[in-house]
């Protein structure tokens, strides 16, 4: 199992000596984001069931409840290198490029900015997470430190036959003299189906079409491994 689904079955590594309190805090935050995420999933299912027939047990809430693949990750963005050109072509996605997450739902805390290990408010109000809406508008995702943002992943778009759309997003680094040495940290919980969960792809899939076999069924684990190959090893 561990070789087949290496990205899901690996053991956690905790910095027990350097930061003994991390494991408990990390798991508590992950559990909170998961529990609230299930409430979001319940409402996603209600919305989708207005447009398509959903079998019992096949909704997002049930899929997430029985999954062993939830993945929490602390994300760290190193201080951006100062640029000589004020208007760099792709400055919008300077910290993390445009993408959609491949799972079901991603829960995010707001970014925390620091300089030399000291928390600061970000000197550039344009820095942070941006999303693209269904109508193509680019919007900054603004939310506070006691709030959680949820983004829809590609698997939800596939399983809901497009009633729900994956949320394209990117992260913009701060710019200007004041931005020197400013880093960003956040926590993401990637909520995703179990590796054994069958994904029955609808006829007209437009996401990663080339990976889907003709009869249109893969487990989430198989699908993820194929995606990791596509992104990181470029085998397909
Ligand atoms: O840092 C963020 O706010 C978003 C992170 C993200 O998009 C990801 O890890 O997939
Ligand atoms: Fe993402």
């Amino acid at each position: 199992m561990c070789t087949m689904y290496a990205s899901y079955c690996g053991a956690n590594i905790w910095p027990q000596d350097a930061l003994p309190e991390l494991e408990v805090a990390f798991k508590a935050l992950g559990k909170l984001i998961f529990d609230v995420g299930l409430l979001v999933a319940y409402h996603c299912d209600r919305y989708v069931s207005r447009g398509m027939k959903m079998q019992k047990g096949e909704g997002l809430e049930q899929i997430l409840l029985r999954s062993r693949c939830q993945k929490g990750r602390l994300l760290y963005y190193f201080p951006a290198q100062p640029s000589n050109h004020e208007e760099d072509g792709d400055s919008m996605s300077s910290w993390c490029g445009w993408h959609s997450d491949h799972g079901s739902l991603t829960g995010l805390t707001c970014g925390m900015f620091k300089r030399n290990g000291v928390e600061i408010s970000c000197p550039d109000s344009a820095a942070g997470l941006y999303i693209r809406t269904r109508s193509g508008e680019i919007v900054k995702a603004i939310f506070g430190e006691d709030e959680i943002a949820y983004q829809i992943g590609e698997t939800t778009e596939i399983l809901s036959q497009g009633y729900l759309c994956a949320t394209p997003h990117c992260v913009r680094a701060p710019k200007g003299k004041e931005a020197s040495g400013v880093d960003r940290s956040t926590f993401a919980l990637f909520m995703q189906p179990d590796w054994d969960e069958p994904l029955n792809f609808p006829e007209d899939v437009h996401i990663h079409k080339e990976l889907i076999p003709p009869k249109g069924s893969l487990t989430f684990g198989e699908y993820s491994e194929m995606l990791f190959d596509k992104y990181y090893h470029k085998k397909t």
Side-chain angles (χ1 to χ4, degrees):
M1 195 58 84
C2 278
T3 38
M4 230 169 120
Y5 302 132
S7 56
Y8 293 129
C9 306
N12 291 319
I13 302 169
W14 302 107
Q16 221 49 268
D17 296 332
L19 200 58
E21 65 272 40
L22 179 69
E23 180 174 355
V24 170
F26 189 101
K27 288 181 176 172
L29 180 57
K31 175 83 169 69
L32 173 72
I33 298 178
F34 179 68
D35 289 344
V36 178
L38 288 179
L39 303 176
V40 176
Y42 167 83
H43 287 284
C44 289
D45 288 340
R46 284 188 49 173
Y47 174 77
V48 171
S49 67
R50 295 212 300 258
M52 68 177 253
K53 222 175 138 50
M54 233 183 341
Q55 300 300 327
K56 204 166 181 288
E58 282 192 356
L60 188 56
E61 184 190 16
Q62 291 301 317
I63 287 178
L64 293 176
L65 256 176
R66 60 178 178 255
S67 170
R68 293 162 288 182
C69 287
Q70 323 305 346
K71 190 183 287 189
R73 203 177 266 162
L74 285 177
L75 306 174
Y76 179 75
Y77 297 79
F78 287 92
Q81 294 305 314
S83 153
N84 296 328
H85 314 281
E86 243 331 285
E87 277 318 314
D88 242 343
D90 206 11
S91 64
M92 179 64 81
S93 56
S94 44
W95 244 341
C96 176
W98 281 103
H99 68 282
S100 301
D101 297 343
H102 88 280
S104 304
L105 276 182
T106 304
L108 291 166
T109 55
C110 72
M112 176 195 279
F113 295 91
K114 283 186 276 136
R115 188 189 281 117
N116 299 324
V118 179
E119 193 173 345
I120 55 166
S121 60
C122 185
D124 178 358
S125 63
L129 178 68
Y130 283 80
I131 60 156
R132 194 163 65 238
T133 67
R134 280 185 184 222
S135 55
E137 234 183 310
I138 293 177
V139 175
K140 184 161 191 269
I142 299 172
F143 57 107
E145 62 179 32
D146 55 356
E147 293 167 327
I148 308 167
Y150 290 88
Q151 301 182 141
I152 291 178
E154 292 173 348
T155 303
T156 297
E157 175 164 341
I158 291 167
L159 294 181
S160 72
Q161 300 184 3
Y163 282 105
L164 293 166
C165 291
T167 319
H169 54 281
C170 72
V171 184
R172 181 179 189 153
K175 284 200 296 195
K177 253 214 250 70
E178 293 290 299
S180 160
V182 174
D183 64 19
R184 178 175 181 272
S185 304
T186 194
F187 181 99
L189 184 73
F190 298 97
M191 298 171 68
Q192 19 199 34
D194 193 77
W195 59 73
D196 277 345
E197 193 74 52
L199 301 182
N200 297 314
F201 296 96
E203 302 252 304
D204 56 341
V205 192
H206 58 276
I207 302 173
H208 309 299
K209 223 196 215 122
E210 73 287 3
L211 301 182
I212 299 160
K215 62 175 183 35
S217 189
L218 287 170
T219 64
F220 180 72
E222 290 166 339
Y223 181 62
S224 312
E225 293 302 318
M226 289 168 95
L227 279 179
F228 297 149
D229 272 351
K230 171 171 165 175
Y231 290 137
Y232 300 116
H233 310 300
K234 300 205 162 62
K235 271 194 244 157
T236 48

